[in-house]
Amino acid sequence: MSDADALLGDMKKALAERLLNAELDHHLDGEAVAGRPNCRNGYGQKTVLTDGGRVRLDIPRDRAGTFDPQLIARYRRRFPGFDDRIISMYARGMSVREIQGHLLEIYGVEASPDLISVITDAVLDEVAAWQNRPLEAVYPVVFFDALRVKIRDESVVRNKAVHIALGVRADGTKEVLGLWIEQNEGAKFWLRVMNELRHRGVEDILLAVVDGLKGFPDAIRAVFPEALVQTCIVHLLRHSLDFVAWKDRKSVATALKDIYRAVDAEAGKAALTAFAESSWGRKYAAIVQSWERAWEEVIPFYAFPAEVRKLIYTTNAIEALNAKLRRAVRARGHFPNDDA
């Protein structure tokens, strides 16, 4: 299982279990109205087979034994499309009629509007709890990146950035620290994000890998003054090649390798100077200027051994997560609001 699969698997398990608990609450309320005494009676475990692999769920039970979950039926083990269905229940904004049709089509069950309301509220509570959960005190590496999604805003569908922070713990495991939506990213927004991480328990970030977002390094250092800020080399390369004619791209990309493969910062600076004085540097002076502007955030890269350089060279770890999220939201088209 990939890191992205594992990261999303934890959320899907939490959402599915919150759905089941909300359904049991709804069932017990109905029993009480009917005058039949009943209550919770712990949990049973069940492993379901999904498109993304096995998911082990804690299934709530009632003392009277009358609870038979509609969303995950008692004797059912296989759930093709389970991942998409759980994520789609998380996507708020569908009308009650749409959700009723969705459940009837997918699960073959008819759900009442009251049950739908209980379930969607429970899912949103789970998401809010996840977004505000306590975090580790120290993260050796945190990757920051953005994913573009379509969201309706004042009757207009706009492309908005969902900013993602992916932390690497001391044992090497990865954790999504949070997601934030902001139309106009800037120093104030990033300062708010950093303060949120601080309030949730993060005391220090050793290395922050970013993609050259404006105002970001200063915001990180304002809250975590000892943090090293490293620009993503791959993002810097992509930006550099934006200035280059298509027929020249391969040659320019090869010439730039001498800069980021240098043994240390001094050799890297010398390689940048040599590139600036070369025919490519004179033809594409904007590339040299972009590297010089970002140089303070490139330098930390040279202080690490090859094994660590390979990890921080790019934001591939977070881009793998983005790819999973894109597949999960692609069928949605666009979301009705930011909360969705």
Side-chain angles (χ1 to χ4, degrees), residues 65-107:
T66 56
F67 176 55
D68 185 8
Q70 295 183 48
L71 299 182
I72 301 177
R74 185 174 292 177
Y75 300 109
R76 193 172 181 188
R77 294 280 180 178
R78 292 184 177 274
F79 288 88
F82 174 85
D83 300 359
D84 294 336
R85 294 161 197 171
I86 293 300
I87 295 297
S88 71
M89 292 300 298
Y90 162 45
R92 180 182 171 191
M94 289 192 295
S95 69
V96 170
R97 183 182 298 275
E98 287 176 318
I99 296 177
Q100 282 178 316
H102 177 76
L103 294 176
L104 182 61
E105 177 186 356
I106 299 301
Y107 298 103

mmCIF file of all heavy atoms in Angstrom, residues 65-107:
data_model
loop_
_atom_site.group_PDB
_atom_site.id
_atom_site.type_symbol
_atom_site.label_atom_id
_atom_site.label_comp_id
_atom_site.label_asym_id
_atom_site.label_seq_id
_atom_site.Cartn_x
_atom_site.Cartn_y
_atom_site.Cartn_z
ATOM 1 N N GLY A 65 -30.260 -6.239 19.661
ATOM 2 C CA GLY A 65 -29.897 -6.960 18.452
ATOM 3 C C GLY A 65 -30.777 -6.648 17.264
ATOM 4 O O GLY A 65 -30.837 -7.442 16.309
ATOM 5 N N THR A 66 -31.446 -5.505 17.285
ATOM 6 C CA THR A 66 -32.348 -5.156 16.184
ATOM 7 C C THR A 66 -31.700 -4.234 15.149
ATOM 8 O O THR A 66 -32.306 -3.930 14.133
ATOM 9 C CB THR A 66 -33.609 -4.465 16.736
ATOM 10 O OG1 THR A 66 -33.207 -3.319 17.510
ATOM 11 C CG2 THR A 66 -34.419 -5.420 17.619
ATOM 12 N N PHE A 67 -30.483 -3.794 15.446
ATOM 13 C CA PHE A 67 -29.835 -2.855 14.535
ATOM 14 C C PHE A 67 -29.172 -3.608 13.386
ATOM 15 O O PHE A 67 -28.293 -4.449 13.591
ATOM 16 C CB PHE A 67 -28.784 -2.032 15.287
ATOM 17 C CG PHE A 67 -27.991 -1.096 14.416
ATOM 18 C CD1 PHE A 67 -28.623 -0.158 13.610
ATOM 19 C CD2 PHE A 67 -26.600 -1.145 14.397
ATOM 20 C CE1 PHE A 67 -27.890 0.711 12.813
ATOM 21 C CE2 PHE A 67 -25.859 -0.283 13.615
ATOM 22 C CZ PHE A 67 -26.514 0.645 12.823
ATOM 23 N N ASP A 68 -29.594 -3.312 12.169
ATOM 24 C CA ASP A 68 -29.005 -3.878 10.949
ATOM 25 C C ASP A 68 -28.610 -2.706 10.057
ATOM 26 O O ASP A 68 -29.464 -2.091 9.414
ATOM 27 C CB ASP A 68 -30.012 -4.781 10.236
ATOM 28 C CG ASP A 68 -29.396 -5.487 9.034
ATOM 29 O OD1 ASP A 68 -28.168 -5.391 8.864
ATOM 30 O OD2 ASP A 68 -30.150 -6.119 8.270
ATOM 31 N N PRO A 69 -27.323 -2.330 10.024
ATOM 32 C CA PRO A 69 -26.913 -1.135 9.277
ATOM 33 C C PRO A 69 -27.364 -1.183 7.826
ATOM 34 O O PRO A 69 -27.266 -2.217 7.167
ATOM 35 C CB PRO A 69 -25.385 -1.163 9.380
ATOM 36 C CG PRO A 69 -25.085 -2.022 10.554
ATOM 37 C CD PRO A 69 -26.183 -3.028 10.612
ATOM 38 N N GLN A 70 -27.861 -0.058 7.341
ATOM 39 C CA GLN A 70 -28.250 0.027 5.944
ATOM 40 C C GLN A 70 -27.050 0.312 5.048
ATOM 41 O O GLN A 70 -26.961 -0.207 3.938
ATOM 42 C CB GLN A 70 -29.303 1.136 5.750
ATOM 43 C CG GLN A 70 -30.615 0.864 6.459
ATOM 44 C CD GLN A 70 -31.634 1.950 6.172
ATOM 45 O OE1 GLN A 70 -31.823 2.321 5.023
ATOM 46 N NE2 GLN A 70 -32.267 2.455 7.205
ATOM 47 N N LEU A 71 -26.140 1.138 5.544
ATOM 48 C CA LEU A 71 -25.021 1.545 4.701
ATOM 49 C C LEU A 71 -24.016 0.413 4.512
ATOM 50 O O LEU A 71 -23.401 0.288 3.460
ATOM 51 C CB LEU A 71 -24.326 2.768 5.308
ATOM 52 C CG LEU A 71 -25.203 4.015 5.441
ATOM 53 C CD1 LEU A 71 -24.409 5.166 6.014
ATOM 54 C CD2 LEU A 71 -25.802 4.397 4.103
ATOM 55 N N ILE A 72 -23.812 -0.404 5.542
ATOM 56 C CA ILE A 72 -22.933 -1.563 5.445
ATOM 57 C C ILE A 72 -23.698 -2.725 6.054
ATOM 58 O O ILE A 72 -23.657 -2.941 7.261
ATOM 59 C CB ILE A 72 -21.585 -1.332 6.170
ATOM 60 C CG1 ILE A 72 -20.868 -0.121 5.564
ATOM 61 C CG2 ILE A 72 -20.686 -2.557 6.071
ATOM 62 C CD1 ILE A 72 -19.569 0.234 6.240
ATOM 63 N N ALA A 73 -24.436 -3.452 5.243
ATOM 64 C CA ALA A 73 -25.350 -4.486 5.724
ATOM 65 C C ALA A 73 -24.612 -5.561 6.520
ATOM 66 O O ALA A 73 -23.418 -5.795 6.338
ATOM 67 C CB ALA A 73 -26.089 -5.113 4.552
ATOM 68 N N ARG A 74 -25.345 -6.234 7.386
ATOM 69 C CA ARG A 74 -24.774 -7.130 8.376
ATOM 70 C C ARG A 74 -23.880 -8.218 7.772
ATOM 71 O O ARG A 74 -22.815 -8.518 8.288
ATOM 72 C CB ARG A 74 -25.901 -7.763 9.192
ATOM 73 C CG ARG A 74 -25.407 -8.621 10.347
ATOM 74 C CD ARG A 74 -26.573 -9.098 11.193
ATOM 75 N NE ARG A 74 -27.199 -7.989 11.889
ATOM 76 C CZ ARG A 74 -28.283 -8.125 12.656
ATOM 77 N NH1 ARG A 74 -28.870 -9.311 12.779
ATOM 78 N NH2 ARG A 74 -28.797 -7.082 13.269
ATOM 79 N N TYR A 75 -24.295 -8.847 6.712
ATOM 80 C CA TYR A 75 -23.550 -9.989 6.173
ATOM 81 C C TYR A 75 -22.774 -9.652 4.887
ATOM 82 O O TYR A 75 -22.262 -10.544 4.228
ATOM 83 C CB TYR A 75 -24.523 -11.148 5.896
ATOM 84 C CG TYR A 75 -25.230 -11.604 7.149
ATOM 85 C CD1 TYR A 75 -26.586 -11.335 7.331
ATOM 86 C CD2 TYR A 75 -24.538 -12.262 8.167
ATOM 87 C CE1 TYR A 75 -27.235 -11.729 8.489
ATOM 88 C CE2 TYR A 75 -25.183 -12.658 9.327
ATOM 89 C CZ TYR A 75 -26.535 -12.393 9.487
ATOM 90 O OH TYR A 75 -27.165 -12.779 10.639
ATOM 91 N N ARG A 76 -22.713 -8.401 4.572
ATOM 92 C CA ARG A 76 -22.043 -8.025 3.334
ATOM 93 C C ARG A 76 -20.564 -7.766 3.579
ATOM 94 O O ARG A 76 -20.189 -7.106 4.549
ATOM 95 C CB ARG A 76 -22.698 -6.773 2.742
ATOM 96 C CG ARG A 76 -22.258 -6.504 1.312
ATOM 97 C CD ARG A 76 -23.055 -5.390 0.687
ATOM 98 N NE ARG A 76 -22.657 -5.142 -0.676
ATOM 99 C CZ ARG A 76 -23.086 -4.114 -1.400
ATOM 100 N NH1 ARG A 76 -23.943 -3.259 -0.877
ATOM 101 N NH2 ARG A 76 -22.667 -3.937 -2.637
ATOM 102 N N ARG A 77 -19.718 -8.290 2.699
ATOM 103 C CA ARG A 77 -18.273 -8.152 2.869
ATOM 104 C C ARG A 77 -17.599 -7.398 1.735
ATOM 105 O O ARG A 77 -16.550 -6.800 1.929
ATOM 106 C CB ARG A 77 -17.631 -9.546 2.964
ATOM 107 C CG ARG A 77 -18.033 -10.330 4.204
ATOM 108 C CD ARG A 77 -17.252 -9.896 5.411
ATOM 109 N NE ARG A 77 -17.631 -10.644 6.603
ATOM 110 C CZ ARG A 77 -17.068 -10.470 7.793
ATOM 111 N NH1 ARG A 77 -16.106 -9.583 7.933
ATOM 112 N NH2 ARG A 77 -17.467 -11.161 8.829
ATOM 113 N N ARG A 78 -18.169 -7.446 0.559
ATOM 114 C CA ARG A 78 -17.546 -6.811 -0.600
ATOM 115 C C ARG A 78 -18.240 -5.497 -0.929
ATOM 116 O O ARG A 78 -19.463 -5.450 -1.000
ATOM 117 C CB ARG A 78 -17.577 -7.739 -1.815
ATOM 118 C CG ARG A 78 -16.682 -8.951 -1.669
ATOM 119 C CD ARG A 78 -16.666 -9.789 -2.937
ATOM 120 N NE ARG A 78 -15.750 -10.897 -2.814
ATOM 121 C CZ ARG A 78 -14.443 -10.830 -3.076
ATOM 122 N NH1 ARG A 78 -13.923 -9.690 -3.508
ATOM 123 N NH2 ARG A 78 -13.655 -11.880 -2.935
ATOM 124 N N PHE A 79 -17.424 -4.467 -1.145
ATOM 125 C CA PHE A 79 -17.982 -3.143 -1.437
ATOM 126 C C PHE A 79 -17.223 -2.497 -2.583
ATOM 127 O O PHE A 79 -16.372 -1.639 -2.369
ATOM 128 C CB PHE A 79 -17.921 -2.245 -0.204
ATOM 129 C CG PHE A 79 -18.896 -2.607 0.860
ATOM 130 C CD1 PHE A 79 -18.567 -3.539 1.828
ATOM 131 C CD2 PHE A 79 -20.151 -2.040 0.883
ATOM 132 C CE1 PHE A 79 -19.473 -3.885 2.810
ATOM 133 C CE2 PHE A 79 -21.060 -2.386 1.855
ATOM 134 C CZ PHE A 79 -20.728 -3.320 2.822
ATOM 135 N N PRO A 80 -17.483 -2.914 -3.832
ATOM 136 C CA PRO A 80 -16.848 -2.221 -4.964
ATOM 137 C C PRO A 80 -17.277 -0.758 -4.995
ATOM 138 O O PRO A 80 -18.455 -0.446 -4.833
ATOM 139 C CB PRO A 80 -17.365 -2.986 -6.185
ATOM 140 C CG PRO A 80 -18.619 -3.656 -5.720
ATOM 141 C CD PRO A 80 -18.409 -3.976 -4.279
ATOM 142 N N GLY A 81 -16.298 0.129 -5.155
ATOM 143 C CA GLY A 81 -16.616 1.559 -5.170
ATOM 144 C C GLY A 81 -16.800 2.160 -3.795
ATOM 145 O O GLY A 81 -17.202 3.313 -3.665
ATOM 146 N N PHE A 82 -16.476 1.403 -2.745
ATOM 147 C CA PHE A 82 -16.667 1.876 -1.369
ATOM 148 C C PHE A 82 -15.933 3.193 -1.115
ATOM 149 O O PHE A 82 -16.473 4.107 -0.498
ATOM 150 C CB PHE A 82 -16.157 0.794 -0.413
ATOM 151 C CG PHE A 82 -16.143 1.176 1.040
ATOM 152 C CD1 PHE A 82 -17.279 1.041 1.818
ATOM 153 C CD2 PHE A 82 -14.989 1.658 1.643
ATOM 154 C CE1 PHE A 82 -17.254 1.387 3.152
ATOM 155 C CE2 PHE A 82 -14.959 2.005 2.970
ATOM 156 C CZ PHE A 82 -16.095 1.862 3.741
ATOM 157 N N ASP A 83 -14.671 3.289 -1.612
ATOM 158 C CA ASP A 83 -13.874 4.494 -1.362
ATOM 159 C C ASP A 83 -14.584 5.745 -1.861
ATOM 160 O O ASP A 83 -14.731 6.733 -1.148
ATOM 161 C CB ASP A 83 -12.515 4.387 -2.068
ATOM 162 C CG ASP A 83 -11.716 3.199 -1.574
ATOM 163 O OD1 ASP A 83 -12.210 2.486 -0.673
ATOM 164 O OD2 ASP A 83 -10.614 2.988 -2.088
ATOM 165 N N ASP A 84 -15.045 5.678 -3.126
ATOM 166 C CA ASP A 84 -15.699 6.844 -3.712
ATOM 167 C C ASP A 84 -16.981 7.178 -2.980
ATOM 168 O O ASP A 84 -17.357 8.344 -2.845
ATOM 169 C CB ASP A 84 -16.001 6.591 -5.195
ATOM 170 C CG ASP A 84 -14.729 6.453 -6.015
ATOM 171 O OD1 ASP A 84 -13.692 6.983 -5.581
ATOM 172 O OD2 ASP A 84 -14.777 5.813 -7.066
ATOM 173 N N ARG A 85 -17.689 6.148 -2.499
ATOM 174 C CA ARG A 85 -18.972 6.396 -1.840
ATOM 175 C C ARG A 85 -18.794 7.075 -0.490
ATOM 176 O O ARG A 85 -19.532 7.993 -0.143
ATOM 177 C CB ARG A 85 -19.715 5.063 -1.676
ATOM 178 C CG ARG A 85 -20.109 4.490 -3.025
ATOM 179 C CD ARG A 85 -20.409 3.022 -2.927
ATOM 180 N NE ARG A 85 -20.390 2.420 -4.261
ATOM 181 C CZ ARG A 85 -20.451 1.131 -4.493
ATOM 182 N NH1 ARG A 85 -20.539 0.286 -3.495
ATOM 183 N NH2 ARG A 85 -20.432 0.679 -5.717
ATOM 184 N N ILE A 86 -17.793 6.609 0.265
ATOM 185 C CA ILE A 86 -17.546 7.224 1.560
ATOM 186 C C ILE A 86 -17.106 8.677 1.375
ATOM 187 O O ILE A 86 -17.572 9.591 2.066
ATOM 188 C CB ILE A 86 -16.490 6.432 2.345
ATOM 189 C CG1 ILE A 86 -17.052 5.050 2.725
ATOM 190 C CG2 ILE A 86 -16.060 7.185 3.596
ATOM 191 C CD1 ILE A 86 -18.286 5.092 3.595
ATOM 192 N N ILE A 87 -16.198 8.925 0.417
ATOM 193 C CA ILE A 87 -15.753 10.297 0.168
ATOM 194 C C ILE A 87 -16.907 11.162 -0.318
ATOM 195 O O ILE A 87 -17.033 12.332 0.029
ATOM 196 C CB ILE A 87 -14.593 10.312 -0.845
ATOM 197 C CG1 ILE A 87 -13.364 9.597 -0.253
ATOM 198 C CG2 ILE A 87 -14.220 11.728 -1.236
ATOM 199 C CD1 ILE A 87 -12.786 10.258 0.965
ATOM 200 N N SER A 88 -17.800 10.587 -1.141
ATOM 201 C CA SER A 88 -18.916 11.370 -1.667
ATOM 202 C C SER A 88 -19.886 11.746 -0.561
ATOM 203 O O SER A 88 -20.519 12.796 -0.606
ATOM 204 C CB SER A 88 -19.652 10.593 -2.765
ATOM 205 O OG SER A 88 -20.373 9.499 -2.236
ATOM 206 N N MET A 89 -20.007 10.902 0.480
ATOM 207 C CA MET A 89 -20.856 11.270 1.610
ATOM 208 C C MET A 89 -20.246 12.441 2.374
ATOM 209 O O MET A 89 -20.945 13.229 3.000
ATOM 210 C CB MET A 89 -21.028 10.073 2.547
ATOM 211 C CG MET A 89 -21.837 8.931 1.953
ATOM 212 S SD MET A 89 -23.522 9.437 1.499
ATOM 213 C CE MET A 89 -24.164 9.905 3.094
ATOM 214 N N TYR A 90 -18.916 12.539 2.297
ATOM 215 C CA TYR A 90 -18.212 13.650 2.932
ATOM 216 C C TYR A 90 -18.456 14.945 2.176
ATOM 217 O O TYR A 90 -18.418 16.039 2.732
ATOM 218 C CB TYR A 90 -16.733 13.278 2.972
ATOM 219 C CG TYR A 90 -15.745 14.389 3.196
ATOM 220 C CD1 TYR A 90 -15.931 15.359 4.170
ATOM 221 C CD2 TYR A 90 -14.582 14.447 2.437
ATOM 222 C CE1 TYR A 90 -14.996 16.345 4.370
ATOM 223 C CE2 TYR A 90 -13.646 15.427 2.630
ATOM 224 C CZ TYR A 90 -13.861 16.378 3.602
ATOM 225 O OH TYR A 90 -12.932 17.355 3.792
ATOM 226 N N ALA A 91 -18.725 14.830 0.874
ATOM 227 C CA ALA A 91 -18.904 16.020 0.036
ATOM 228 C C ALA A 91 -20.275 16.628 0.293
ATOM 229 O O ALA A 91 -21.254 16.284 -0.336
ATOM 230 C CB ALA A 91 -18.748 15.667 -1.435
ATOM 231 N N ARG A 92 -20.355 17.498 1.232
ATOM 232 C CA ARG A 92 -21.602 18.167 1.586
ATOM 233 C C ARG A 92 -22.069 19.041 0.424
ATOM 234 O O ARG A 92 -21.287 19.472 -0.389
ATOM 235 C CB ARG A 92 -21.337 19.048 2.821
ATOM 236 C CG ARG A 92 -22.532 19.812 3.325
ATOM 237 C CD ARG A 92 -22.067 20.655 4.491
ATOM 238 N NE ARG A 92 -23.079 21.589 4.927
ATOM 239 C CZ ARG A 92 -22.844 22.568 5.785
ATOM 240 N NH1 ARG A 92 -21.642 22.741 6.263
ATOM 241 N NH2 ARG A 92 -23.801 23.388 6.151
ATOM 242 N N GLY A 93 -23.328 19.312 0.388
ATOM 243 C CA GLY A 93 -23.840 20.180 -0.652
ATOM 244 C C GLY A 93 -24.859 19.491 -1.523
ATOM 245 O O GLY A 93 -25.612 20.153 -2.217
ATOM 246 N N MET A 94 -24.909 18.157 -1.506
ATOM 247 C CA MET A 94 -25.961 17.457 -2.229
ATOM 248 C C MET A 94 -27.285 17.665 -1.492
ATOM 249 O O MET A 94 -27.328 17.689 -0.268
ATOM 250 C CB MET A 94 -25.654 15.955 -2.313
ATOM 251 C CG MET A 94 -24.519 15.593 -3.233
ATOM 252 S SD MET A 94 -24.421 13.804 -3.570
ATOM 253 C CE MET A 94 -24.037 13.156 -1.957
ATOM 254 N N SER A 95 -28.354 17.788 -2.250
ATOM 255 C CA SER A 95 -29.668 17.907 -1.627
ATOM 256 C C SER A 95 -30.075 16.564 -1.032
ATOM 257 O O SER A 95 -29.501 15.520 -1.346
ATOM 258 C CB SER A 95 -30.703 18.343 -2.668
ATOM 259 O OG SER A 95 -30.922 17.293 -3.602
ATOM 260 N N VAL A 96 -31.086 16.594 -0.148
ATOM 261 C CA VAL A 96 -31.591 15.360 0.444
ATOM 262 C C VAL A 96 -32.047 14.403 -0.646
ATOM 263 O O VAL A 96 -31.783 13.192 -0.594
ATOM 264 C CB VAL A 96 -32.756 15.656 1.420
ATOM 265 C CG1 VAL A 96 -33.445 14.368 1.850
ATOM 266 C CG2 VAL A 96 -32.243 16.414 2.638
ATOM 267 N N ARG A 97 -32.712 14.927 -1.684
ATOM 268 C CA ARG A 97 -33.177 14.082 -2.775
ATOM 269 C C ARG A 97 -31.997 13.428 -3.503
ATOM 270 O O ARG A 97 -32.037 12.248 -3.869
ATOM 271 C CB ARG A 97 -34.007 14.907 -3.757
ATOM 272 C CG ARG A 97 -34.614 14.068 -4.906
ATOM 273 C CD ARG A 97 -35.380 14.957 -5.857
ATOM 274 N NE ARG A 97 -36.502 15.619 -5.201
ATOM 275 C CZ ARG A 97 -37.704 15.064 -5.043
ATOM 276 N NH1 ARG A 97 -37.927 13.838 -5.476
ATOM 277 N NH2 ARG A 97 -38.670 15.732 -4.443
ATOM 278 N N GLU A 98 -30.909 14.200 -3.703
ATOM 279 C CA GLU A 98 -29.738 13.648 -4.373
ATOM 280 C C GLU A 98 -29.109 12.536 -3.545
ATOM 281 O O GLU A 98 -28.703 11.494 -4.075
ATOM 282 C CB GLU A 98 -28.706 14.752 -4.631
ATOM 283 C CG GLU A 98 -29.091 15.713 -5.747
ATOM 284 C CD GLU A 98 -28.077 16.828 -5.875
ATOM 285 O OE1 GLU A 98 -27.615 17.362 -4.855
ATOM 286 O OE2 GLU A 98 -27.734 17.169 -7.014
ATOM 287 N N ILE A 99 -29.016 12.757 -2.242
ATOM 288 C CA ILE A 99 -28.418 11.738 -1.376
ATOM 289 C C ILE A 99 -29.300 10.507 -1.315
ATOM 290 O O ILE A 99 -28.806 9.376 -1.330
ATOM 291 C CB ILE A 99 -28.164 12.307 0.034
ATOM 292 C CG1 ILE A 99 -27.136 13.448 -0.035
ATOM 293 C CG2 ILE A 99 -27.656 11.213 0.967
ATOM 294 C CD1 ILE A 99 -26.873 14.126 1.290
ATOM 295 N N GLN A 100 -30.619 10.695 -1.270
ATOM 296 C CA GLN A 100 -31.528 9.553 -1.273
ATOM 297 C C GLN A 100 -31.331 8.721 -2.542
ATOM 298 O O GLN A 100 -31.234 7.487 -2.495
ATOM 299 C CB GLN A 100 -32.980 10.030 -1.187
ATOM 300 C CG GLN A 100 -33.410 10.445 0.214
ATOM 301 C CD GLN A 100 -34.835 10.963 0.231
ATOM 302 O OE1 GLN A 100 -35.239 11.742 -0.643
ATOM 303 N NE2 GLN A 100 -35.599 10.533 1.220
ATOM 304 N N GLY A 101 -31.238 9.396 -3.693
ATOM 305 C CA GLY A 101 -31.023 8.691 -4.943
ATOM 306 C C GLY A 101 -29.677 8.007 -4.978
ATOM 307 O O GLY A 101 -29.536 6.888 -5.489
ATOM 308 N N HIS A 102 -28.677 8.680 -4.425
ATOM 309 C CA HIS A 102 -27.328 8.146 -4.367
ATOM 310 C C HIS A 102 -27.313 6.843 -3.562
ATOM 311 O O HIS A 102 -26.772 5.823 -4.002
ATOM 312 C CB HIS A 102 -26.428 9.197 -3.709
ATOM 313 C CG HIS A 102 -25.007 8.774 -3.502
ATOM 314 N ND1 HIS A 102 -24.094 8.724 -4.513
ATOM 315 C CD2 HIS A 102 -24.360 8.376 -2.391
ATOM 316 C CE1 HIS A 102 -22.923 8.329 -4.029
ATOM 317 N NE2 HIS A 102 -23.064 8.108 -2.740
ATOM 318 N N LEU A 103 -27.930 6.842 -2.391
ATOM 319 C CA LEU A 103 -27.946 5.659 -1.543
ATOM 320 C C LEU A 103 -28.764 4.530 -2.163
ATOM 321 O O LEU A 103 -28.404 3.353 -2.061
ATOM 322 C CB LEU A 103 -28.504 6.012 -0.156
ATOM 323 C CG LEU A 103 -27.646 6.965 0.685
ATOM 324 C CD1 LEU A 103 -28.355 7.307 1.989
ATOM 325 C CD2 LEU A 103 -26.298 6.325 0.991
ATOM 326 N N LEU A 104 -29.859 4.889 -2.803
ATOM 327 C CA LEU A 104 -30.699 3.864 -3.433
ATOM 328 C C LEU A 104 -29.944 3.197 -4.583
ATOM 329 O O LEU A 104 -29.971 1.972 -4.742
ATOM 330 C CB LEU A 104 -32.004 4.484 -3.939
ATOM 331 C CG LEU A 104 -32.999 3.514 -4.589
ATOM 332 C CD1 LEU A 104 -33.424 2.448 -3.584
ATOM 333 C CD2 LEU A 104 -34.217 4.271 -5.102
ATOM 334 N N GLU A 105 -29.245 4.014 -5.388
ATOM 335 C CA GLU A 105 -28.508 3.480 -6.535
ATOM 336 C C GLU A 105 -27.325 2.632 -6.104
ATOM 337 O O GLU A 105 -27.080 1.546 -6.642
ATOM 338 C CB GLU A 105 -28.025 4.632 -7.426
ATOM 339 C CG GLU A 105 -27.188 4.177 -8.607
ATOM 340 C CD GLU A 105 -26.610 5.350 -9.391
ATOM 341 O OE1 GLU A 105 -26.928 6.503 -9.042
ATOM 342 O OE2 GLU A 105 -25.838 5.100 -10.323
ATOM 343 N N ILE A 106 -26.592 3.123 -5.102
ATOM 344 C CA ILE A 106 -25.351 2.467 -4.717
ATOM 345 C C ILE A 106 -25.593 1.287 -3.782
ATOM 346 O O ILE A 106 -25.041 0.205 -3.965
ATOM 347 C CB ILE A 106 -24.399 3.475 -4.035
ATOM 348 C CG1 ILE A 106 -24.053 4.619 -4.999
ATOM 349 C CG2 ILE A 106 -23.129 2.779 -3.559
ATOM 350 C CD1 ILE A 106 -23.400 4.164 -6.281
ATOM 351 N N TYR A 107 -26.432 1.495 -2.768
ATOM 352 C CA TYR A 107 -26.611 0.475 -1.743
ATOM 353 C C TYR A 107 -27.912 -0.309 -1.876
ATOM 354 O O TYR A 107 -28.099 -1.320 -1.199
ATOM 355 C CB TYR A 107 -26.561 1.116 -0.345
ATOM 356 C CG TYR A 107 -25.248 1.780 -0.039
ATOM 357 C CD1 TYR A 107 -25.115 3.164 -0.095
ATOM 358 C CD2 TYR A 107 -24.127 1.030 0.299
ATOM 359 C CE1 TYR A 107 -23.903 3.783 0.173
ATOM 360 C CE2 TYR A 107 -22.914 1.636 0.571
ATOM 361 C CZ TYR A 107 -22.798 3.009 0.520
ATOM 362 O OH TYR A 107 -21.608 3.612 0.785
#
